[in-house]
Amino acid sequence: MRIQKLTKEVRGDILSSLLKRSPSSYGEYEARVNAIVEDVRDRGDAAVFEYTERFDGYKLTPENIEVTQDEIDEAYKQIDPKVLDVIRKALANIRAHHEKQLRNSWITPEADGTILGQKISPLRRVGIYVPGGKAAYPSSVLMCTTPAKVAGVDEIIMVTPPGKTGVINPGTLVAAKEAGVDRIFKVGGSQAIAAAAFGTDCVPKVDKIVGPGNIYVALAKKAVYGQVGIDSIAGPSEIMVLADDTANPRFVAADLLSQAEHDELASAILVTTSMDLANKVSEDVDGFVAVLERKEIIRKSLDNYGFILVAENMDDAIDTVNEIASEHLEIVTANPFETMTKVRNAGAIFLGSYSSEPLGDYFAGPNHVLPTNGTAKFFSPLGVDDFIKKSSIIYYSKEALEGISDDIQTFAKAEGLTAHANSIAVRFEK
């Protein structure tokens, strides 16, 4: 991996490079995706079936678009019992973590005749998108479905692309059943997002769509936002490791590659105050890449978006961490808990030598659907809050309103909205 001294210019160049990976930067795809979305809106299932046959090589019909119970039963027969056991253990951890996020409605009556509050309501129906191209992601099924179930969503619809024979990965189907998905449809890509957003004869319309996907899925979510809610417009995977000279270089190298193997656009960045660590990590990265299965993807990722940055001091290193706002941040310093207090921007924070990023991907419990491309500055991990909505509660008695009626009318008239003022005044006409 390339090693660079950290300067403001280097940091700026890296930020610019990383931001170019955002789905919003791929204008050449956007028109193509928007055309598919509009076609599905206009023609419904007919368009969905055509695009699925063209892109996935599978001929959909109204009879085979939805996964049957027999297919789910067959998936249980095929899955390795050890994998099923791990899915259930991970699901328990994920559920326990998200149950701590639950909110309650509240209401506060006052002696002056006012009652204010907030009503929490779960969404009625949500759509979960699960990728099915280069790899299968049962873990994403658990991460997307569990907070929705905990929130109390009435119905969870899953869409995922079929193989050329119409078969869905057994692990994906089993994870969906275990997590509580209600219905599963064999459709992926932009057409799946559009079908869930607008509804077709076969695919029910949802209120919100969540889950990771490729550039076509991300741009389709962007196109339907407003018609439905979305979690975010996710970009490629990212990891940043913040380390000092106490870090184990072999551990750090392995963790950087855990994200670089996702795809050619993934980024892996080490920020350290130790040139000795930087050199050792670079050597260990080369050694690992030579033997890992996805070495071609890893090499392209590291060539384009892999960096080892050596900072003058920890303050400069932390400033860079906050500026880049990575999806995953590992802190491997002498006192990682103290270092963490200075970090403002990161999707998920992993502390210490034995809290590697895959722990969060699969098992620990916090969600692995995270903000990317610097959006950790204003977005949060997927959670229960993504599957609820809040309504304000306002009650004033006649006496309570009368006491502040002149104030409201004054404010309304100051804005030139006399009908607003009149709405208060008519209640106290002599």
Side-chain angles (χ1 to χ4, degrees):
M1 286 181 72
R2 80 196 88 177
I3 300 175
Q4 293 180 268
K5 286 286 187 70
L6 179 59
T7 65
K8 287 185 178 180
E9 291 73 20
V10 167
R11 184 168 69 192
D13 290 343
I14 291 174
L15 271 171
S16 177
S17 176
L18 293 177
L19 291 174
K20 289 177 182 176
R21 305 171 314 135
S22 166
S24 299
S25 300
Y26 287 79
E28 68 268 27
Y29 296 105
E30 199 150 8
R32 199 182 316 167
V33 169
N34 288 346
I36 293 172
V37 168
E38 288 304 312
D39 195 19
V40 172
R41 184 208 286 261
D42 294 340
R43 297 196 298 125
D45 287 329
V48 171
F49 295 169
E50 286 178 20
Y51 290 120
T52 300
E53 187 167 11
R54 183 192 307 177
F55 299 134
D56 298 310
Y58 181 63
K59 190 172 181 62
L60 278 181
T61 68
E63 291 72 36
N64 67 15
I65 188 173
E66 186 169 357
V67 171
T68 64
Q69 185 59 48
D70 286 345
E71 289 174 289
I72 293 173
D73 292 342
E74 181 61 29
Y76 271 89
K77 293 176 184 176
Q78 293 183 23
I79 194 168
D80 184 334
K82 291 181 180 179
V83 174
L84 176 57
D85 183 54
V86 171
I87 284 175
R88 288 172 173 166
K89 289 177 180 177
L91 180 59
N93 292 342
I94 297 164
R95 185 183 296 116
H97 175 82
H98 287 86
E99 283 173 347
K100 294 180 176 67
Q101 299 176 359
L102 273 170
R103 298 185 187 220
N104 295 315
S105 300
W106 57 271
I107 196 163
T108 306
E110 301 290 350
D112 63 0
T114 66
I115 299 175
L116 300 177
Q118 181 173 265
K119 183 178 184 297
I120 303 291
S121 304
L123 302 184
R124 184 175 65 90
R125 181 189 289 139
V126 301
I128 305 296
Y129 186 90
V130 179
K134 294 180 180 178
Y137 296 99
S139 59
S140 289
V141 179
L142 304 183
M143 293 293 182
C144 291
T145 305
T146 305
K149 293 293 289 186
V150 170
V153 171
D154 293 339
E155 188 177 14
I156 300 173
I157 304 299
M158 188 174 99
V159 289
T160 188
K164 292 186 183 299
T165 60
V167 174
I168 305 297
N169 177 271
T172 299
L173 291 184
V174 168
K177 181 67 175 179
E178 292 289 321
V181 172
D182 295 291
R183 300 176 70 185
I184 305 168
F185 293 89
K186 302 175 183 179
V187 55
S190 305
Q191 63 270 24
I193 300 299
F198 303 121
T200 70
D201 290 339
C202 292
V203 182
K205 174 178 167 45
V206 302
D207 299 314
K208 188 168 189 173
I209 300 171
V210 305
N214 62 17
I215 185 68
Y216 299 101
V217 171
L219 289 174
K221 287 167 73 175
K222 180 181 177 182
V224 301
Y225 177 62
Q227 180 72 27
V228 293
I230 62 172
D231 49 353
S232 65
I233 304 169
S237 297
E238 305 165 344
I239 186 171
M240 173 171 278
V241 179
L242 174 62
D244 60 17
D245 57 6
T246 66
N248 182 315
R250 190 168 174 81
F251 292 0
V252 172
D255 293 354
L256 291 170
L257 299 183
S258 73
Q259 292 307 289
E261 77 169 343
H262 269 294
D263 65 54
E264 294 86 347
L265 294 176
S267 76
I269 301 174
L270 166 64
V271 184
T272 181
T273 51
S274 169
M275 180 60 80
D276 183 54
L277 179 73
N279 288 319
K280 289 178 179 177
V281 168
S282 181
E283 291 174 10
D284 283 329
V285 163
D286 291 341
F288 281 130
V289 171
V291 298
L292 289 170
E293 290 183 7
R294 295 166 68 88
K295 64 184 69 176
E296 295 307 317
I297 291 173
I298 292 172
R299 284 195 180 106
K300 289 179 181 177
S301 168
L302 296 181
D303 287 347
N304 292 318
Y305 304 108
F307 302 93
I308 297 176
L309 305 177
V310 182
E312 286 289 331
N313 53 62
M314 187 55 69
D315 286 341
D316 287 349
I318 291 172
D319 285 346
T320 299
V321 165
N322 283 325
E323 195 62 33
I324 291 177
S326 187
E327 177 187 17
H328 306 99
L329 171 66
E330 292 187 8
I331 300 178
V332 193
T333 58
N335 191 338
F337 287 91
E338 180 182 350
T339 306
M340 178 190 64
T341 63
K342 300 175 184 178
V343 172
R344 181 182 293 269
N345 302 323
I349 302 173
F350 301 78
L351 301 175
S353 294
Y354 293 91
S355 303
S356 63
E357 189 279 336
L359 172 67
D361 270 353
Y362 296 112
F363 206 78
N367 213 287
H368 79 198
V369 180
L370 301 166
T372 59
N373 278 105
T375 60
K377 291 177 179 177
F378 46 84
F379 279 144
S380 304
L382 189 72
V384 171
D385 278 359
D386 289 285
F387 299 99
I388 63 168
K389 55 192 180 67
K390 306 159 199 166
S391 302
S392 300
I393 298 171
I394 303 167
Y395 167 84
Y396 270 60
S397 66
K398 179 180 180 182
E399 293 73 21
L401 181 62
E402 188 171 20
I404 49 99
S405 61
D406 287 346
D407 292 337
I408 299 172
Q409 291 178 66
T410 297
F411 216 149
K413 289 173 183 176
E415 293 188 347
L417 300 176
T418 54
H420 280 62
N422 186 57
S423 172
I424 301 295
V426 295
R427 285 165 165 75
F428 303 102
E429 290 174 333
K430 302 302 182 188

